[in-house]
Amino acid sequence: MTRIRLARPGDEADIVAMIHELALFEKAPEECTVTESQISAALFGDDRVASCFLVEADGQTAAM
């Protein structure tokens, strides 16, 4: 089963991993310095500045 949902606390590791994978694909991994705590603050902090949807396939995060 595939579904789309809003990111929630606890998803930070998956989000950061996908961001780093994209940087590697773009041949710029050294320019990617995002951390789980930065993602947490951006998505879930008091002054959040972003939102994120995740795609789950068979219970596993597949895309964002």
Side-chain angles (χ1 to χ4, degrees), residues 40-60:
S40 182
L43 295 177
F44 313 119
D46 292 336
D47 297 318
R48 59 184 158 264
V49 296
S51 60
C52 178
F53 287 92
L54 298 178
V55 177
E56 287 184 343
D58 298 321
Q60 299 295 316

Side-chain angles (χ1 to χ4, degrees), residues 12-62:
E12 296 89 347
D14 288 338
I15 294 167
V16 169
M18 286 185 278
I19 293 169
H20 283 280
E21 287 174 18
L22 177 60
L24 184 62
F25 174 80
E26 294 292 342
K27 298 180 178 31
E30 67 284 348
E31 295 181 42
C32 186
T33 60
V34 68
T35 65
E36 289 182 33
S37 61
Q38 289 170 321
I39 291 297
S40 182
L43 295 177
F44 313 119
D46 292 336
D47 297 318
R48 59 184 158 264
V49 296
S51 60
C52 178
F53 287 92
L54 298 178
V55 177
E56 287 184 343
D58 298 321
Q60 299 295 316
T61 302

